[in-house]
Amino acid sequence: MASSTSREWSGSAGPSNERIMTYVRGFDEEIGGGIPPGHITLIHGPTGTMKSSLAYYILYNNVLEGRKGLYVTLEQDAESLADQMESLGMEIVAASKLIPIFDLSKGREKLQELDEKMRSLKKRVPNSPVAENGFLGIIQAKVEELKRKRGFDLLVIDSLEALELVANFPDRRKNLFDFFEWLRSLNVTAFVVSESTPDLLGFLRFQETFDEAFLADAIFELKMEIVNNVDVQRRIRCVKMRSVNHKTDYFTLIHENKWFEITKAIC
Ligand SMILES: Nc1ncnc2c1ncn2[C@@H]1O[C@H](COP(=O)(O)OP(=O)(O)OP(=O)(O)O)[C@@H](O)[C@H]1O
Ligand SMILES: [Mg+2]
């Protein structure tokens, strides 16, 4: 198992209070050393706030410490995601074996194809996962198969809204509850990217009452802050993290020389 203390952070989390670090410089110290293993964390914010980049970055840096990841993308295709991560200084070729990208960006078309493949592999199984549980069933079956075959400690689902589009959640509250229960049953540390819509002024209107917020153990909120007539900065804050004494302040989030880092937001 990877050491929680070996690379950039030298805080106090030891084996008994192991943490999954974000490797966002300065941020882990503000959230009690990192995320407790097994937590489901929402990475929530409007478009362009670097949700996918941050999610991949967390996996990437944990993989360099010996963990394994799986990135499920339902929005951006794997190639464009990899290009973006390369441009942020991550060495994707080296990481790709340890963080396979399960590309569902072609939605239902890809899922149908996968369903047929799985059916022909399991000839004796009369009902495909799709027939039994719809498109969500095939995603879950494939993720479980990858867990059995390759194993992974960290999982990203990018994004919840795209998943809902392909999986169709007729009873959103119940379907979300079941989905989070399934995530927990995998016994991994999960990150669920979720979109929010900025209001007319361009500020994020964070709705603390949405169902996934109650279901998640932790929430990182990302937003764009208009600081004056010309400057806009990215911000991050930890809205909640169960069983951890963490700061809830907004910090300015920047990316420089392959690292994300925070600085104290002043305004
Ligand atoms: N090499 C880079 N260095 C710094 N910032 C970058 C770089 N490449 C992209 N960006 C920034 O990252 C943003 C996109 O990040 P990302 O795709 O992670 O955001 P997102 O919140 O997931 O967006 P979406 O809602 O479209 O999924 C770009 O709009 C750009 O501002
Ligand atoms: Mg994204």
Side-chain angles (χ1 to χ4, degrees):
M1 180 53 74
S3 153
S4 301
T5 57
S6 51
R7 288 172 77 217
E8 295 300 319
W9 180 70
S10 55
S12 59
S16 60
N17 54 345
E18 189 193 350
R19 294 284 188 265
I20 304 294
M21 290 167 62
T22 65
Y23 292 94
V24 176
R25 290 176 161 182
F27 191 54
D28 288 313
E29 289 86 335
E30 305 290 355
I31 58 168
I35 304 159
H39 266 23
I40 301 174
T41 302
L42 274 191
I43 300 185
H44 182 78
T47 189
T49 48
M50 301 186 89
K51 300 178 297 296
S52 303
S53 307
L54 179 65
Y56 193 94
Y57 173 92
I58 295 172
L59 252 59
Y60 177 84
N61 282 288
N62 275 281
V63 155
L64 296 186
E65 290 296 337
R67 292 189 170 92
K68 284 183 174 179
L70 174 68
Y71 197 104
V72 181
T73 177
L74 292 114
E75 278 191 6
Q76 203 174 349
D77 66 60
E79 196 182 337
S80 125
L81 187 74
D83 284 351
Q84 161 128 347
M85 301 313 147
E86 290 265 14
S87 86
L88 292 166
M90 291 179 257
E91 290 165 26
I92 299 306
V93 177
S96 62
K97 279 201 185 98
L98 295 166
I99 317 173
I101 299 175
F102 179 21
D103 184 351
L104 295 173
S105 60
K106 290 201 180 70
R108 285 162 193 246
E109 187 191 319
K110 181 73 193 264
L111 287 165
Q112 205 83 57
E113 197 184 296
L114 208 60
D115 187 47
E116 277 158 27
K117 247 189 229 164
M118 284 176 102
R119 252 190 304 178
S120 66
L121 282 175
K122 299 178 190 169
K123 286 208 174 68
R124 278 167 298 147
V125 181
N127 287 331
S128 68
V130 164
E132 281 173 10
N133 295 309
F135 286 113
L136 186 58
I138 188 102
I139 297 172
Q140 290 173 322
K142 188 68 192 168
V143 169
E144 285 168 16
E145 185 188 310
L146 288 166
K147 178 94 179 2
R148 269 194 312 275
K149 287 192 175 158
R150 315 177 59 124
F152 54 85
D153 317 296
L154 292 106
L155 168 69
V156 170
I157 305 287
D158 185 1
S159 67
L160 186 60
E161 288 68 22
L163 178 78
E164 285 182 52
L165 268 184
V166 289
N168 184 23
F169 284 3
D171 180 350
R172 189 172 192 272
R173 179 160 277 192
K174 181 180 182 310
N175 297 137
L176 266 184
F177 180 83
D178 291 345
F179 179 68
F180 274 72
E181 282 296 290
W182 170 77
L183 275 181
R184 280 185 211 291
S185 75
L186 291 174
N187 215 7
V188 297
T189 304
F191 297 87
V192 178
V193 171
S194 95
E195 305 281 342
S196 65
T197 326
D199 70 15
L200 289 175
L201 289 172
F203 290 100
L204 170 69
R205 186 164 284 161
F206 188 70
Q207 297 175 341
E208 307 223 12
T209 52
F210 62 117
D211 292 327
E212 49 273 43
F214 292 113
L215 293 168
D217 302 300
I219 304 174
F220 295 158
E221 179 199 350
L222 295 172
K223 69 169 183 170
M224 299 283 201
E225 183 77 38
I226 300 173
V227 286
N228 58 40
N229 282 344
V230 285
D231 297 313
V232 179
Q233 292 177 347
R234 288 194 179 85
R235 296 279 160 86
I236 186 168
R237 82 176 179 112
C238 178
V239 177
K240 79 167 188 183
M241 193 179 289
R242 287 181 178 142
S243 74
V244 175
N245 181 12
H246 63 91
K247 294 256 176 63
T248 52
D249 301 347
Y250 281 112
F251 298 95
T252 301
L253 179 69
I254 52 174
H255 185 276
E256 220 168 70
N257 296 328
K258 75 183 190 174
W259 296 102
F260 275 107
E261 63 181 78
I262 58 158
T263 56
K264 183 81 189 152
I266 306 162
C267 74

